[in-house]
Amino acid sequence: MKAAVWYGKKDLRVDEIELKQTKDTDVKVRVAWAGICGSDLHEYEEGPVFVPNEKEDPLTGEIAPLTMGHEFAGVIEEVGPKVTKYKVGDRVAINPTITYGNKPEDLDPYDGFSFIGLHSDGGFTKYANVPEDNVYLLPESLTLQDGALVEPTAVAVQAVKEGKLQFGDTVAVFGAGPIGLMTIIAAKAAGASKIIALDLSETRIEKAKELGATHVVNSSEQDAVTAIKEIVPDGVDVSFEVAGVAPTFKQAIDSTRARGTMVIVSIFAREIEWNPIQLTNTGVKVTSTIAYTPTTFQQTVDLMGTGQLKPQGIITDQIQLDDIVENGFEALTNDKSQAKIVVELSGEK
C-alpha cells in the first residue's frame, strides 16, 4: 500500500510499504482522511524534531523511516483478539499520543510522550494499526473528514483550558496559522468577549476574522502591543503564542494584563534570548501545552458533535496522497492562503 514516508529533512516520499502486524490490543483502521499538521511541517522543513532517526524511540521502539500523519480518522477494519471496546465497522478518530500511562492524566501527556505519525507509523496511508486506548468513536453528526479535525481542535481546547479562560475574558492570539485559527475557534466557544488575532499575512488575518476573531492586527503594519492596548487598555486576560518566534513571545507577554496568563502553544524551532524580568515587572504567568489529555480529546469529540465547536471552516484544500509533497507540504510552506489541508485516503464520509 502507498504511504507518505519521512526519511529526513525535506525528504518525504510516497512509497509502497507493508503494514506491520496488528498487535492483540490494536485495531486496524481503514484511513478515510488525514490532516497535515504544523508539527509535520516542522519535521519536513527542519527535522528531525520528534522523529527518532538515530536510535529507537523508547516507547514505540520505532526508528525512521516511518509513515507520517497523526490527524486522522477512519473505519475499523479489524480488531485484535484482546480488543473489547470496539468492533469492525466503527467510525473513529485517533488520539495519537502514546505515554507510559503511569501518572494522573494532567501529567500523563508529558510522561514518555510519543506520537503516532511522528514516533511510529501513522495515518498518511491506506491502513494504520492503532492501540485500542487511542481510538474514539465518532457521533453520527460528524463525518470522517470532521474526525480528522478532532486532533488539532483538541490541541486548541487544551490550550484554552491551560489559560483558564473564563466567559467574558479578552484574548490575543499571536499567529493565525492552523493551530492559531483553531485557538480562535476554541476561545470563541469558551466565551471570550474579544478575540484579537495577529499575523503578518493579510490572507491569514482575513481567515481569522472569518472564523471568529473580533479584531485583527497586521503586525507588519502596526506595533502589536500598542494595537492590542488600543482595544484592551490594560492588556488581555489571556494571550496565546502560536507563532514560535522571539518577537511574538515577548509581545504576547507585554500585551497581557498584570497577573494574566500567556500560553505557549507553538513549537520553537530555534532558541530565543529572553529576560525573565519581563515577568517580574508584571506578574504575568506563563504556561505551555503540547497536546491534550484523554478527557480533553473526548470533550472535543463531544463539543464538535453537538456543534458547539465548529472547526470545519479551517479546511482550505483537499488533496490526494500522491500529491502530498507538492500540493500539501510545499503548499503549506509557501502559500499563506492555506490553513488546513486534508489528504483523501479512502474518502469515506
Side-chain angles (χ1 to χ4, degrees), residues 106-234:
D106 284 347
L107 298 177
D108 189 56
Y110 304 95
D111 183 22
F113 186 69
S114 292
F115 249 60
I116 296 168
L118 287 172
H119 301 88
S120 63
D121 288 331
F124 287 148
T125 188
K126 186 175 182 180
Y127 296 106
N129 290 329
V130 181
E132 178 182 24
D133 289 342
N134 292 75
V135 172
Y136 290 68
L137 283 172
L138 287 173
E140 289 301 317
S141 57
L142 295 179
T143 68
L144 288 169
Q145 188 180 89
D146 296 337
L149 298 178
V150 172
E151 196 278 340
T153 309
V155 171
V157 172
Q158 189 69 49
V160 166
K161 291 170 73 172
E162 295 291 336
K164 302 190 185 304
L165 186 67
Q166 299 184 45
F167 280 105
D169 276 356
T170 54
V171 166
V173 179
F174 287 81
I179 294 300
L181 294 172
M182 288 293 195
T183 303
I184 289 166
I185 294 167
K188 179 181 178 181
S193 62
K194 293 179 181 177
I195 303 172
I196 307 165
L198 303 98
D199 202 281
L200 300 172
S201 163
E202 195 63 35
T203 303
R204 286 185 166 183
I205 285 171
E206 287 304 313
K207 191 68 174 176
K209 193 185 299 183
E210 176 189 324
L211 294 175
T214 60
H215 301 76
V216 293
V217 175
N218 188 323
S219 304
S220 68
E221 299 174 356
Q222 296 175 267
D223 177 75
V225 178
T226 301
I228 288 170
K229 292 195 173 180
E230 286 176 356
I231 301 165
V232 186
D234 291 331

Side-chain angles (χ1 to χ4, degrees), residues 149-150 153-154 157 295-305 309:
L149 298 178
V150 172
T153 309
V157 172
T295 294
T296 294
F297 201 92
Q298 184 63 61
Q299 288 171 340
T300 304
V301 172
D302 296 341
L303 289 166
M304 286 178 60
L309 273 174

Side-chain angles (χ1 to χ4, degrees), residues 274-288:
W274 172 67
N275 189 339
I277 196 71
Q278 189 181 10
L279 298 180
T280 308
N281 287 340
T282 65
V284 171
K285 297 178 286 292
V286 174
T287 186
S288 64

